[in-house]
Amino acid sequence: KELLFRDAMLLHQSGRYEESVSQYRRVLTDQTDRYFASLDPGIAGAKTRHNLAVVYEDMGRLQDAEAEWWTIVDADPEYRPGWQELGQLLLKQNRTSEIRELAAKLCADSQLKAVGRLLSARLAESQSEFDEAITVLEAAVAESPSDLEAHSELCRLLFERGLPTDAEA
C-alpha cells in the first residue's frame, strides 16, 4: 500500500490525474500483504482519501472531492484538516447557506470551534464584509489563544484591510 500511495502521489504531481485516482482507489480497496513493519494505518484511510479529494479538486470533480471530505470527517469527526478543506470546497462553490450551517455545527463543538470561526470569517471576507471577518477572527483568537491559524488569518486580514499597527500587534 505504501508503494501504491507513493505512486499515486507522483502521478498526481505529474498531472496524470486519472492514473493517480486509480492508484489511490487501489490503496483503499486492494487487499495486500503487509511487507513493511512501518505500515502507516492512515495510508489505508484518511491520508489516501485526503490526497484523493485533492486530486478530484484538481480535476474539477468537486462532487467527488466533497464526498471524500465527508467520508473523512464522518470517520474521524475531530479531523480538523478535513473540516477545513470541506469548508474551502464549499467556499469555492459559493454555497453560502451550507457554509453557514457547517460553521454553526463546528462552532457548537468545543474541539472544532476555531475551525468554525475561521470558516465564518472566510465567508464574510468572500462577501467583502471585512469588519465582520475581523470581528469573527478576534473572537476566534480570544477563545483559542493557542490556535496559530486564527492568529495568522487575523494578522493577514488586518494587514490587508486594517491598520498596520493592528496587524503588528
Side-chain angles (χ1 to χ4, degrees), residues 1-5 27 32-45 47-48:
K1 290 194 181 261
E2 289 93 342
L3 295 176
L4 290 172
F5 183 83
V27 172
T32 60
D33 292 328
R34 185 171 171 177
Y35 292 107
F36 302 109
S38 64
L39 180 66
D40 179 348
I43 286 184
K47 285 183 180 180
T48 294

Side-chain angles (χ1 to χ4, degrees), residues 117 121 129-141 154 157:
R117 294 266 192 231
E129 297 171 358
F130 303 112
D131 290 340
E132 173 66 16
I134 289 169
T135 299
V136 170
L137 289 169
E138 288 172 339
V141 167
L154 177 58
L157 194 56

Side-chain angles (χ1 to χ4, degrees), residues 29-77:
T29 60
D30 283 5
Q31 297 299 317
T32 60
D33 292 328
R34 185 171 171 177
Y35 292 107
F36 302 109
S38 64
L39 180 66
D40 179 348
I43 286 184
K47 285 183 180 180
T48 294
R49 290 193 182 283
H50 183 118
N51 287 8
L52 183 57
V54 172
V55 175
Y56 281 144
E57 284 188 51
D58 288 348
M59 296 172 76
R61 292 172 54 180
L62 302 183
Q63 286 183 322
D64 291 328
E66 183 178 342
E68 292 300 329
W69 292 124
W70 278 114
T71 299
I72 291 168
V73 297
D74 285 343
D76 183 1

